Coordinates of all heavy atoms in Angstrom, one line a residue:
P1581 N 187.5 -18.6 46.1 CA 188.1 -17.6 45.1 C 189.6 -17.9 44.9 O 190.1 -17.3 43.9 CB 187.9 -16.3 45.8 CG 187.8 -16.6 47.3 CD 187.2 -18.0 47.4
G1582 N 190.3 -18.7 45.6 CA 191.7 -18.9 45.4 C 192.0 -19.7 44.2 O 191.1 -20.3 43.5
P1583 N 193.3 -19.8 43.8 CA 193.7 -20.6 42.7 C 193.4 -22.1 42.9 O 193.3 -22.6 44.0 CB 195.2 -20.3 42.5 CG 195.6 -19.9 43.9 CD 194.5 -19.2 44.5
G1584 N 193.3 -22.8 41.8 CA 193.1 -24.3 41.9 C 191.9 -24.7 41.0 O 191.1 -23.9 40.6
A1585 N 191.9 -26.0 40.8 CA 190.8 -26.5 40.0 C 189.5 -26.6 40.8 O 189.5 -26.7 42.0 CB 191.2 -27.9 39.5
P1586 N 188.4 -26.5 40.1 CA 187.1 -26.6 40.8 C 187.0 -28.0 41.5 O 187.6 -28.9 41.1 CB 186.1 -26.4 39.7 CG 186.8 -25.7 38.6 CD 188.2 -26.2 38.7
Q1587 N 186.1 -28.0 42.5 CA 185.9 -29.3 43.1 C 184.9 -30.1 42.3 O 183.7 -30.1 42.6 CB 185.4 -29.0 44.6 CG 186.4 -28.2 45.4 CD 185.8 -28.0 46.8 OE1 184.8 -28.6 47.2 NE2 186.6 -27.3 47.6
W1588 N 185.5 -30.9 41.4 CA 184.7 -31.6 40.4 C 183.8 -32.6 41.1 O 182.7 -32.9 40.6 CB 185.5 -32.2 39.3 CG 186.2 -31.2 38.5 CD1 187.6 -31.0 38.4 CD2 185.6 -30.3 37.5 NE1 187.9 -30.0 37.5 CE2 186.7 -29.6 37.0 CE3 184.3 -30.1 37.1 CZ2 186.5 -28.6 36.0 CZ3 184.1 -29.1 36.2 CH2 185.2 -28.4 35.6
H1589 N 184.3 -33.3 42.1 CA 183.5 -34.3 42.8 C 182.2 -33.7 43.4 O 181.2 -34.3 43.4 CB 184.3 -35.0 43.8 CG 184.8 -34.2 45.0 ND1 185.8 -33.3 44.8 CD2 184.3 -34.1 46.3 CE1 186.0 -32.7 46.0 NE2 185.1 -33.1 46.9
N1590 N 182.3 -32.5 44.0 CA 181.1 -31.9 44.5 C 180.1 -31.5 43.4 O 178.9 -31.6 43.6 CB 181.5 -30.6 45.3 CG 182.2 -31.0 46.7 OD1 181.9 -32.1 47.2 ND2 183.0 -30.1 47.2
I1591 N 180.7 -31.0 42.3 CA 179.9 -30.6 41.2 C 179.2 -31.8 40.6 O 178.0 -31.8 40.3 CB 180.7 -29.9 40.1 CG1 181.2 -28.6 40.6 CG2 179.8 -29.7 38.9 CD1 182.1 -27.8 39.7
A1592 N 179.9 -32.9 40.5 CA 179.3 -34.2 40.0 C 178.2 -34.7 40.9 O 177.2 -35.2 40.5 CB 180.4 -35.2 39.9
K1593 N 178.4 -34.6 42.3 CA 177.4 -35.0 43.2 C 176.1 -34.2 43.0 O 175.0 -34.7 43.1 CB 177.9 -35.0 44.6 CG 178.9 -36.1 45.0 CD 179.1 -36.2 46.5 CE 179.6 -34.9 47.1 NZ 179.9 -35.1 48.5
K1594 N 176.3 -32.9 42.9 CA 175.1 -32.0 42.7 C 174.4 -32.3 41.4 O 173.1 -32.3 41.4 CB 175.6 -30.5 42.7 CG 176.1 -29.9 44.0 CD 176.4 -28.5 43.8 CE 176.9 -27.9 45.1 NZ 178.2 -28.4 45.5
M1595 N 175.1 -32.6 40.3 CA 174.5 -32.9 39.1 C 173.7 -34.3 39.1 O 172.6 -34.4 38.6 CB 175.5 -32.9 38.0 CG 176.1 -31.6 37.7 SD 177.3 -31.6 36.3 CE 176.2 -32.0 34.9
L1596 N 174.4 -35.2 39.8 CA 173.7 -36.5 40.0 C 172.4 -36.4 40.8 O 171.4 -37.0 40.4 CB 174.7 -37.5 40.7 CG 174.1 -38.9 40.9 CD1 173.7 -39.6 39.6 CD2 175.1 -39.8 41.7
L1597 N 172.5 -35.6 41.9 CA 171.3 -35.4 42.7 C 170.2 -34.7 41.9 O 169.1 -35.0 42.0 CB 171.7 -34.7 44.0 CG 170.6 -34.5 45.0 CD1 170.1 -35.8 45.5 CD2 171.1 -33.6 46.2
A1598 N 170.6 -33.7 41.2 CA 169.7 -32.9 40.4 C 169.0 -33.8 39.3 O 167.8 -33.7 39.1 CB 170.4 -31.7 39.7
M1599 N 169.8 -34.7 38.7 CA 169.2 -35.6 37.7 C 168.2 -36.5 38.3 O 167.1 -36.7 37.8 CB 170.3 -36.4 37.0 CG 169.8 -37.3 35.9 SD 171.1 -38.3 35.2 CE 171.5 -39.4 36.5
L1600 N 168.5 -37.1 39.5 CA 167.6 -38.0 40.2 C 166.3 -37.3 40.6 O 165.2 -37.8 40.4 CB 168.2 -38.6 41.4 CG 169.4 -39.6 41.1 CD1 170.0 -40.1 42.4 CD2 169.0 -40.8 40.3
I1601 N 166.4 -36.1 41.1 CA 165.2 -35.3 41.5 C 164.4 -35.0 40.3 O 163.2 -35.0 40.4 CB 165.7 -34.1 42.3 CG1 166.3 -34.5 43.7 CG2 164.5 -33.2 42.6 CD1 166.9 -33.4 44.5
T1602 N 165.1 -34.5 39.3 CA 164.3 -34.1 38.0 C 163.5 -35.3 37.5 O 162.4 -35.2 37.1 CB 165.3 -33.6 37.0 OG1 166.0 -32.4 37.6 CG2 164.5 -33.1 35.8
L1603 N 164.2 -36.5 37.4 CA 163.5 -37.7 36.9 C 162.3 -38.0 37.8 O 161.3 -38.5 37.3 CB 164.5 -38.8 36.8 CG 165.5 -38.7 35.7 CD1 166.6 -39.9 35.8 CD2 164.9 -38.7 34.3
M1604 N 162.5 -37.9 39.1 CA 161.3 -38.2 40.0 C 160.2 -37.3 39.8 O 159.0 -37.7 39.8 CB 161.8 -38.2 41.4 CG 162.7 -39.4 41.8 SD 163.0 -39.6 43.6 CE 163.9 -38.0 43.9
V1605 N 160.5 -36.0 39.7 CA 159.5 -35.0 39.4 C 158.7 -35.2 38.1 O 157.5 -35.1 38.0 CB 160.1 -33.6 39.5 CG1 159.0 -32.5 39.1 CG2 160.5 -33.2 40.9
L1606 N 159.5 -35.5 37.1 CA 158.9 -35.8 35.8 C 158.1 -37.0 35.8 O 157.0 -37.1 35.1 CB 160.0 -35.9 34.7 CG 160.8 -34.6 34.4 CD1 161.9 -34.8 33.3 CD2 159.8 -33.5 33.8
R1607 N 158.5 -38.0 36.5 CA 157.7 -39.2 36.7 C 156.4 -38.9 37.4 O 155.3 -39.4 37.0 CB 158.5 -40.3 37.5 CG 157.8 -41.6 37.7 CD 157.4 -42.3 36.5 NE 156.8 -43.6 36.7 CZ 156.3 -44.4 35.8 NH1 156.4 -44.0 34.5 NH2 155.8 -45.6 36.1
Y1608 N 156.4 -38.1 38.4 CA 155.2 -37.7 39.1 C 154.3 -36.9 38.1 O 153.1 -37.2 38.1 CB 155.6 -36.8 40.3 CG 154.4 -36.1 40.9 CD1 153.5 -36.8 41.6 CD2 154.2 -34.7 40.6 CE1 152.4 -36.2 42.2 CE2 153.1 -34.1 41.2 CZ 152.2 -34.8 41.9 OH 151.1 -34.2 42.5
F1609 N 154.8 -36.0 37.3 CA 154.0 -35.3 36.3 C 153.4 -36.3 35.3 O 152.2 -36.1 35.0 CB 154.9 -34.3 35.6 CG 155.3 -33.1 36.4 CD1 156.4 -32.3 36.0 CD2 154.6 -32.7 37.5 CE1 156.8 -31.2 36.7 CE2 154.9 -31.6 38.2 CZ 156.0 -30.8 37.9
Y1610 N 154.1 -37.2 34.9 CA 153.6 -38.2 33.9 C 152.5 -39.0 34.5 O 151.4 -39.2 33.8 CB 154.7 -39.1 33.4 CG 154.3 -40.1 32.4 CD1 154.0 -39.8 31.1 CD2 154.1 -41.5 32.8 CE1 153.6 -40.8 30.2 CE2 153.7 -42.4 31.9 CZ 153.4 -42.1 30.6 OH 153.0 -43.0 29.7
L1611 N 152.7 -39.5 35.7 CA 151.6 -40.4 36.3 C 150.4 -39.5 36.6 O 149.3 -40.0 36.4 CB 152.2 -41.0 37.6 CG 153.3 -42.0 37.5 CD1 153.7 -42.5 38.8 CD2 152.8 -43.2 36.6
Q1612 N 150.6 -38.3 37.0 CA 149.4 -37.4 37.3 C 148.7 -37.1 36.0 O 147.4 -37.1 36.0 CB 149.9 -36.1 38.0 CG 148.7 -35.3 38.4 CD 149.1 -33.9 38.7 OE1 149.8 -33.2 38.0 NE2 148.7 -33.4 39.9
H1613 N 149.4 -36.9 34.9 CA 148.8 -36.6 33.6 C 148.0 -37.8 33.2 O 146.9 -37.7 32.7 CB 149.9 -36.3 32.6 CG 149.4 -36.0 31.2 ND1 149.3 -36.9 30.2 CD2 148.8 -34.9 30.7 CE1 148.8 -36.4 29.2 NE2 148.5 -35.2 29.4
Q1614 N 148.5 -39.0 33.3 CA 147.8 -40.2 32.9 C 146.6 -40.4 33.8 O 145.5 -40.8 33.2 CB 148.7 -41.5 33.1 CG 149.9 -41.5 32.2 CD 149.5 -41.7 30.7 OE1 149.5 -40.8 30.0 NE2 149.1 -42.9 30.4
W1615 N 146.6 -40.1 35.0 CA 145.5 -40.2 35.9 C 144.4 -39.2 35.5 O 143.2 -39.5 35.4 CB 145.9 -40.0 37.4 CG 144.7 -40.0 38.3 CD1 144.1 -41.1 38.8 CD2 144.0 -38.8 38.8 NE1 143.0 -40.7 39.7 CE2 143.0 -39.3 39.7 CE3 144.2 -37.4 38.7 CZ2 142.2 -38.4 40.4 CZ3 143.4 -36.6 39.4 CH2 142.4 -37.1 40.2
Q1616 N 144.8 -38.0 35.2 CA 143.9 -36.9 34.7 C 143.2 -37.3 33.4 O 142.0 -37.1 33.2 CB 144.6 -35.6 34.5 CG 145.0 -34.9 35.9 CD 145.7 -33.6 35.6 OE1 146.2 -33.4 34.5 NE2 145.9 -32.9 36.7
Q1617 N 144.0 -37.9 32.5 CA 143.4 -38.3 31.2 C 142.4 -39.4 31.4 O 141.3 -39.4 30.8 CB 144.5 -38.9 30.3 CG 145.5 -37.8 29.8 CD 144.9 -36.8 28.9 OE1 144.5 -35.7 29.3 NE2 144.9 -37.2 27.6
Q1618 N 142.6 -40.3 32.4 CA 141.7 -41.4 32.7 C 140.4 -40.8 33.3 O 139.3 -41.2 33.0 CB 142.3 -42.4 33.6 CG 141.4 -43.6 34.0 CD 142.1 -44.6 34.9 OE1 143.2 -44.4 35.3 NE2 141.3 -45.6 35.4
Q1619 N 140.6 -39.9 34.2 CA 139.4 -39.2 34.9 C 138.6 -38.5 33.8 O 137.3 -38.6 33.9 CB 139.9 -38.3 36.0 CG 140.5 -38.9 37.2 CD 139.6 -39.8 37.9 OE1 139.6 -41.0 37.9 NE2 138.7 -39.1 38.7
E1620 N 139.2 -37.8 32.9 CA 138.4 -37.1 31.9 C 137.7 -38.0 31.0 O 136.5 -37.8 30.6 CB 139.4 -36.2 31.1 CG 140.0 -35.0 31.9 CD 141.1 -34.3 31.1 OE1 141.2 -34.5 29.9 OE2 141.9 -33.6 31.8
A1621 N 138.3 -39.1 30.6 CA 137.6 -40.1 29.8 C 136.4 -40.7 30.5 O 135.4 -40.9 29.9 CB 138.6 -41.2 29.4
E1622 N 136.6 -41.1 31.8 CA 135.5 -41.6 32.6 C 134.4 -40.6 32.7 O 133.2 -40.9 32.7 CB 136.0 -42.1 33.9 CG 136.9 -43.3 33.9 CD 137.5 -43.7 35.2 OE1 137.2 -42.9 36.2 OE2 138.2 -44.7 35.3
L1623 N 134.8 -39.3 32.9 CA 133.7 -38.3 33.1 C 133.0 -38.1 31.8 O 131.7 -38.0 31.8 CB 134.4 -37.0 33.5 CG 133.5 -35.7 33.6 CD1 132.4 -36.0 34.6 CD2 134.3 -34.5 33.9
Q1624 N 133.7 -38.1 30.6 CA 133.0 -37.9 29.4 C 132.0 -39.1 29.1 O 130.9 -38.9 28.6 CB 134.0 -37.8 28.2 CG 133.4 -37.6 26.9 CD 132.6 -36.3 26.8 OE1 133.0 -35.3 27.3 NE2 131.4 -36.4 26.2
A1625 N 132.5 -40.3 29.4 CA 131.7 -41.5 29.2 C 130.4 -41.4 30.1 O 129.3 -41.8 29.7 CB 132.5 -42.8 29.5
R1626 N 130.6 -41.0 31.3 CA 129.5 -40.9 32.3 C 128.5 -39.8 31.8 O 127.3 -40.1 31.8 CB 130.0 -40.5 33.7 CG 128.9 -40.4 34.7 CD 129.5 -39.9 36.0 NE 128.5 -39.7 37.0 CZ 128.6 -39.0 38.1 NH1 129.8 -38.5 38.4 NH2 127.6 -38.8 39.0
L1627 N 129.0 -38.7 31.4 CA 128.1 -37.6 30.9 C 127.3 -38.1 29.6 O 126.1 -37.8 29.5 CB 128.9 -36.4 30.6 CG 129.5 -35.7 31.8 CD1 130.3 -34.5 31.3 CD2 128.4 -35.2 32.7
S1628 N 128.0 -38.8 28.7 CA 127.4 -39.3 27.5 C 126.3 -40.3 27.8 O 125.2 -40.2 27.3 CB 128.4 -39.9 26.6 OG 129.4 -38.9 26.2
S1629 N 126.6 -41.1 28.8 CA 125.6 -42.1 29.2 C 124.3 -41.5 29.8 O 123.2 -41.8 29.5 CB 126.2 -43.1 30.2 OG 125.2 -44.0 30.7
L1630 N 124.6 -40.5 30.7 CA 123.4 -39.8 31.3 C 122.6 -39.1 30.3 O 121.4 -39.1 30.3 CB 124.0 -38.9 32.4 CG 124.5 -39.5 33.7 CD1 125.2 -38.5 34.6 CD2 123.4 -40.2 34.5
Q1631 N 123.3 -38.4 29.4 CA 122.6 -37.6 28.4 C 121.8 -38.4 27.5 O 120.7 -38.1 27.1 CB 123.6 -36.7 27.6 CG 122.9 -35.8 26.6 CD 123.8 -34.8 26.0 OE1 124.7 -34.3 26.7 NE2 123.7 -34.5 24.7
S1632 N 122.3 -39.6 27.1 CA 121.6 -40.4 26.1 C 120.4 -41.0 26.7 O 119.5 -41.5 26.0 CB 122.6 -41.6 25.7 OG 122.9 -42.4 26.8
R1633 N 120.3 -41.0 28.1 CA 119.1 -41.6 28.7 C 117.9 -40.6 28.7 O 116.8 -41.0 29.0 CB 119.4 -42.0 30.2 CG 120.1 -43.3 30.3 CD 120.2 -43.7 31.8 NE 121.6 -43.6 32.2 CZ 121.9 -43.6 33.5 NH1 121.0 -43.6 34.4 NH2 123.2 -43.5 33.8
I1634 N 118.2 -39.4 28.5 CA 117.1 -38.4 28.5 C 116.4 -38.3 27.1 O 116.8 -37.5 26.3 CB 117.7 -37.0 28.9 CG1 118.4 -37.1 30.2 CG2 116.6 -36.0 29.0 CD1 119.0 -35.8 30.7
Q1635 N 115.5 -39.2 26.9 CA 114.7 -39.2 25.7 C 113.3 -38.7 25.9 O 112.7 -39.1 26.9 CB 114.7 -40.7 25.1 CG 116.0 -41.3 24.9 CD 116.7 -40.7 23.6 OE1 116.1 -40.0 22.9 NE2 118.0 -41.0 23.4
P1636 N 112.8 -37.8 25.1 CA 111.4 -37.3 25.3 C 110.4 -38.4 25.3 O 110.3 -39.2 24.3 CB 111.3 -36.4 24.1 CG 112.6 -36.0 23.6 CD 113.5 -37.2 23.9
H1637 N 109.7 -38.5 26.4 CA 108.7 -39.6 26.5 C 107.4 -39.2 25.8 O 106.4 -40.0 25.9 CB 108.5 -40.0 27.9 CG 108.1 -38.9 28.8 ND1 108.7 -38.6 30.0 CD2 107.1 -37.9 28.7 CE1 108.1 -37.5 30.6 NE2 107.1 -37.1 29.8
F1638 N 107.3 -38.1 25.1 CA 106.1 -37.7 24.4 C 106.1 -38.2 23.0 O 105.3 -37.7 22.2 CB 105.9 -36.2 24.5 CG 107.0 -35.4 23.8 CD1 106.7 -34.9 22.5 CD2 108.2 -35.2 24.3 CE1 107.7 -34.2 21.8 CE2 109.2 -34.5 23.7 CZ 108.9 -34.0 22.4
L1639 N 107.1 -39.1 22.6 CA 107.2 -39.5 21.2 C 105.9 -40.0 20.6 O 105.5 -39.5 19.5 CB 108.3 -40.6 21.1 CG 108.5 -41.2 19.8 CD1 108.9 -40.2 18.7 CD2 109.5 -42.4 19.8
F1640 N 105.3 -40.9 21.3 CA 104.1 -41.5 20.7 C 103.0 -40.5 20.5 O 102.2 -40.5 19.5 CB 103.6 -42.7 21.5 CG 104.6 -43.9 21.4 CD1 105.3 -44.2 22.6 CD2 104.8 -44.6 20.3 CE1 106.2 -45.2 22.6 CE2 105.7 -45.6 20.3 CZ 106.4 -45.9 21.4
N1641 N 102.8 -39.6 21.6 CA 101.8 -38.6 21.4 C 102.1 -37.7 20.3 O 101.2 -37.2 19.5 CB 101.7 -37.8 22.7 CG 101.0 -38.6 23.8 OD1 100.2 -39.5 23.6 ND2 101.3 -38.3 25.1
S1642 N 103.4 -37.3 20.1 CA 103.8 -36.4 19.0 C 103.5 -37.0 17.7 O 103.0 -36.4 16.7 CB 105.2 -36.0 19.2 OG 105.5 -35.4 20.4
M1643 N 103.9 -38.3 17.6 CA 103.6 -39.0 16.3 C 102.2 -39.1 15.9 O 101.8 -38.9 14.8 CB 104.2 -40.4 16.3 CG 105.8 -40.4 16.5 SD 106.6 -39.5 15.2 CE 106.3 -40.5 13.7
N1644 N 101.3 -39.3 16.9 CA 99.9 -39.3 16.7 C 99.4 -38.0 16.3 O 98.5 -37.8 15.4 CB 99.1 -39.8 17.9 CG 99.3 -41.3 18.2 OD1 99.6 -42.1 17.3 ND2 99.2 -41.6 19.5
T1645 N 99.9 -36.9 16.9 CA 99.5 -35.6 16.5 C 99.9 -35.2 15.1 O 99.1 -34.7 14.3 CB 100.1 -34.5 17.5 OG1 99.7 -34.8 18.8 CG2 99.7 -33.1 17.2
I1646 N 101.1 -35.6 14.8 CA 101.6 -35.4 13.4 C 100.8 -36.1 12.4 O 100.4 -35.6 11.3 CB 103.1 -35.8 13.3 CG1 104.0 -34.8 14.2 CG2 103.6 -35.7 11.9 CD1 105.4 -35.3 14.3
A1647 N 100.5 -37.4 12.7 CA 99.6 -38.2 11.8 C 98.3 -37.5 11.6 O 97.8 -37.5 10.4 CB 99.5 -39.6 12.3
S1648 N 97.7 -36.9 12.6 CA 96.4 -36.3 12.4 C 96.4 -35.0 11.7 O 95.4 -34.6 11.1 CB 95.8 -36.1 13.8 OG 96.5 -35.1 14.5
L1649 N 97.6 -34.4 11.6 CA 97.8 -33.1 10.9 C 98.2 -33.3 9.4 O 98.1 -32.3 8.6 CB 98.8 -32.3 11.6 CG 98.5 -31.7 12.9 CD1 99.7 -31.0 13.5 CD2 97.3 -30.7 12.8

Side-chain angles (χ1 to χ4, degrees):
Q1587 299 182 6
W1588 295 111
H1589 63 284
N1590 287 334
I1591 295 177
K1593 287 195 298 184
K1594 291 184 178 68
M1595 293 182 65
L1596 178 60
L1597 185 60
M1599 182 181 68
L1600 294 176
I1601 293 175
T1602 303
L1603 289 174
M1604 287 190 296
V1605 171
L1606 292 177
R1607 178 63 176 173
Y1608 168 75
F1609 287 158
Y1610 178 76
L1611 293 177
Q1612 186 194 50
H1613 180 262
Q1614 293 295 101
W1615 177 80
Q1616 288 177 346
Q1617 295 290 96
Q1618 180 181 358
Q1619 291 294 105
E1620 291 170 19
E1622 292 176 355
L1623 176 61
Q1624 181 60 44
R1626 181 185 175 196
L1627 292 175
S1628 299
S1629 175
L1630 289 171
Q1631 183 171 321
S1632 64
R1633 278 186 251 165
I1634 304 179
Q1635 299 288 350
H1637 56 229
F1638 65 100
L1639 172 62
F1640 294 109
N1641 288 334
S1642 301
M1643 296 303 294
N1644 290 333
T1645 302
I1646 293 171
S1648 66
L1649 288 173

